[in-house]
Amino acid sequence: MSEPKKAGNMFLDPTSHSSRLFREAVKYMPGGNSRTSIIYSPHPFYFHSGQGCVITDVEGVERLDFHNNYTSLIHGHADPDVVKAVSQQLKKGTAIGALTESEIQLAKLIVDRVPSIEQIGFANSGTEAVMLTIRIARAFTGRDKIAKFEGSYHGSYDHTEVSVMNSPEEGGTAYEPASVLDSEGIPGTVLKDVVVLPFNDEEAVKHIIEKHRDTLSAVIADPMPSRGGLIRPREGFYKFLREITRKYGILLIADEVMMFRLSYGGGQEMFGIEPDLTSLGKIIGGGLPVGAVAGSAKIMEMFIAGGKHARVPHAGTFNANPVTMVAGRVTMGKFDKPAVEKLNGLSDNFRTKLTGLFTLMKVKAQVLGAGSMFRIHLTDDPINSYRDAYMYPHRKEMMTKLFFKLMDTGIYIAPEGIGCLSTAMAEKDVDSFIVAMETSLTTLIEEYPELRA
Ligand code: PMP
């Protein structure tokens, strides 16, 4: 490749390398891809390489990566320590039908940093982790139903792909949301076992949980629901949730697949959650596929086979594969308390500067989030629920335009306005984002004057 080009969206040009690759891709894969969450129209760019917080597309255009593979890269791309550890492991073997010491090391690291976790078992995706966590909860309690929050995403598992993306109209009342399937192909019978709760609404949650108290095995919560708007939990919300679930013998699951990056001990430490079970993924795999189920020894013993059939079998050809385990160990080892503090401090500055820019430019926009996570909403109406965060077509259209304008000015975030920082970033990268945002908003408000406050 020639000299890196600093910005631009030449990947959209029909003659670009990305366009040509995409035309080739659609011949062999439905919609030209294997991951619906990263697809946008007319087509995405093709990635060439990444180094730290900079990614380069196949056109040779560099962008600052505030996407970080949907938050799974905590140190950015190709961290030298991770590359070294993985390279050494590659030479020793990648898939082994036996145990390796590396899984003990990553397990110990996570058990040591989270008080609610006494035991942990690995899988290969957050989806699998959630699926097993729910299965354990059902086996432990002898009940079938689960409750989840409206708008919360927990991966592509039948019982959690309920009420994830529905419009407020499809969801019935806000006080008692309906259970809505998010995908065709999921048996309708799933709906009778999935109860939907409105996040942060204690009175409604109490009412719904009490209605199902004898049949609910667990309540699963993304500590700060990303798809639900990245709204912080209200003060005392998780204390209330812990008390009511404990009262009725219902387990509390913290789905920390995305939010584990929030602090040293994850979202549960940041928001004072005391879960029975935790599902993990993303950052703990150091950039490789991973999932994990974790919790108290008393519940996790469901996995123990010990010569007989485990109550909950936990197989998986690539579970705890040593490449993921060493990448995870090095990554999490480096994401120690000082690193967490530094990253979160930088991210606080980021949100403060962005809010300052919105005010200065008199734009109807706001940024929500905590720790190293952020989500931009193109409205100045208060966002207190999934329904407030829901993007009707007009808001979605403006967000998509903003996304492309940011890409054009050298910034990569997720198309719905979600992003995160990595330890590979510094204040200068935050400032580059702010400059790019100012440039992008200047033309966006010309096209959409209704965005002016
Ligand atoms: N749970 C949560 C909270 C998630 O954010 C995600 C993925 N974004 C998942 C589960 C699923 O993880 P994976 O994509 O690794 O299957």
Side-chain angles (χ1 to χ4, degrees):
M1 292 216 310
S2 52
E3 271 296 281
K5 303 171 187 85
K6 282 294 173 211
N9 280 340
M10 43 273 251
F11 74 92
L12 291 172
D13 188 299
T15 62
S16 73
H17 197 179
S18 282
S19 297
R20 277 188 280 117
L21 287 174
F22 195 70
R23 283 198 294 277
E24 183 72 0
V26 292
K27 291 187 206 159
Y28 310 109
M29 288 173 279
N33 73 92
S34 306
R35 190 177 174 193
T36 45
S37 54
I38 55 166
I39 293 304
Y40 41 86
S41 287
H43 64 81
F45 67 78
Y46 277 78
F47 176 91
H48 176 268
S49 55
Q51 195 64 59
C53 60
V54 178
I55 48 171
T56 309
D57 71 13
V58 290
E59 276 27 88
V61 172
E62 291 184 346
R63 294 184 181 87
L64 284 175
D65 189 7
F66 284 82
H67 185 291
N68 285 299
N69 188 31
Y70 264 114
T71 76
S72 60
L73 300 171
I74 198 73
H75 302 306
H77 298 265
D79 175 82
D81 297 319
V82 176
V83 171
K84 188 170 162 211
V86 168
S87 310
Q88 281 169 354
Q89 183 58 45
L90 289 178
K91 288 181 212 144
K92 294 197 238 164
T94 60
I96 298 146
L99 306 179
T100 68
E101 192 175 345
S102 60
E103 65 196 276
I104 308 172
Q105 292 163 342
L106 181 57
K108 179 175 179 345
L109 223 147
I110 295 171
V111 167
D112 284 350
R113 64 200 275 166
V114 188
S116 77
I117 298 181
E118 291 171 345
Q119 300 261 287
I120 184 166
F122 295 102
N124 289 292
S125 69
T127 295
E128 272 182 79
V130 164
M131 181 185 80
L132 286 164
T133 309
I134 290 175
R135 197 176 283 171
I136 285 203
R138 290 200 189 108
F140 188 79
T141 58
R143 303 169 179 176
D144 283 344
K145 281 188 192 167
I146 60 150
K148 72 173 290 286
F149 290 96
E150 187 175 41
S152 282
Y153 179 68
H154 301 283
S156 25
Y157 166 52
D158 285 1
H159 287 81
T160 57
E161 283 213 84
V162 173
S163 300
V164 179
M165 308 252 282
N166 59 280
S167 68
E169 289 71 25
E170 289 167 317
T173 67
Y175 186 70
E176 206 164 343
S179 302
V180 182
L181 287 181
D182 197 51
S183 165
E184 290 187 30
I186 300 176
T189 49
V190 159
L191 292 178
K192 79 172 184 15
D193 284 330
V194 184
V195 174
V196 179
L197 309 167
F199 189 67
N200 264 345
D201 185 340
E202 284 189 26
E203 198 202 313
V205 169
K206 180 169 184 292
H207 164 73
I208 301 168
I209 287 185
E210 289 192 335
K211 206 164 151 181
H212 299 274
R213 65 188 184 201
D214 298 329
T215 46
L216 269 180
S217 62
V219 174
I220 184 166
D222 175 354
M224 182 171 64
S226 65
R227 295 276 183 101
L230 211 69
I231 299 160
R232 278 174 178 258
R234 285 219 173 99
E235 196 62 43
F237 182 69
Y238 279 116
K239 186 166 175 285
F240 147 79
L241 199 60
R242 179 65 283 185
E243 279 165 10
I244 193 163
T245 46
R246 190 171 281 141
K247 182 169 170 196
Y248 296 121
I250 301 164
L251 300 188
L252 181 58
I253 303 172
D255 180 4
E256 298 254 25
V257 168
M258 195 178 267
M259 296 305 150
F260 199 55
R261 60 161 42 239
L262 287 186
S263 73
Y264 186 72
Q268 50 195 274
E269 181 188 303
M270 181 171 273
F271 302 126
I273 314 172
E274 290 173 31
D276 300 292
L277 282 163
T278 298
S279 44
L280 293 159
K282 296 200 192 265
I283 65 166
I284 68 155
L288 281 104
V290 77
V293 185
S296 68
K298 198 169 96 197
I299 301 176
M300 292 294 288
E301 73 179 24
M302 295 282 150
F303 277 148
I304 298 177
K308 54 184 187 340
H309 194 71
R311 288 183 64 186
V312 178
H314 176 213
T317 307
F318 293 99
N319 285 358
N321 74 80
V323 187
T324 296
M325 294 298 108
V326 299
R329 172 176 47 85
V330 173
T331 298
M332 295 313 290
K334 283 177 70 158
F335 195 47
D336 56 9
K337 283 183 179 165
V340 173
E341 210 171 294
K342 192 168 166 219
L343 176 62
N344 288 0
L346 184 68
S347 309
D348 286 340
N349 290 352
F350 171 85
R351 284 185 295 268
T352 305
K353 285 182 176 175
L354 199 51
T355 303
L357 178 74
F358 294 152
T359 310
L360 191 76
M361 293 185 76
K362 297 191 172 57
V363 180
K364 286 185 184 164
Q366 58 191 296
V367 57
L368 299 186
S372 51
M373 293 284 312
F374 68 86
R375 179 154 177 188
I376 297 159
H377 293 276
L378 289 179
T379 175
D380 59 359
D381 292 338
I383 304 230
N384 293 316
S385 68
Y386 163 68
R387 295 183 182 214
D388 296 336
Y390 185 78
M391 285 195 277
Y392 283 100
H394 182 63
R395 202 148 105 197
K396 197 167 185 172
E397 180 187 304
M398 294 191 295
M399 182 54 81
T400 305
K401 283 264 172 76
L402 178 62
F403 163 72
F404 276 109
K405 285 175 188 290
L406 285 171
M407 292 253 278
D408 208 8
T409 44
I411 300 291
Y412 188 44
I413 63 170
E416 66 274 28
I418 293 181
C420 64
L421 283 77
S422 71
T423 63
M425 291 175 175
E427 204 67 51
K428 68 174 174 29
D429 304 305
V430 167
D431 292 340
S432 299
F433 187 104
I434 303 298
V435 171
M437 181 60 93
E438 186 177 2
T439 310
S440 304
L441 283 176
T442 304
T443 53
L444 191 72
I445 49 183
E446 276 166 22
E447 288 166 52
Y448 298 94
E450 61 274 35
L451 275 175
R452 276 185 229 277

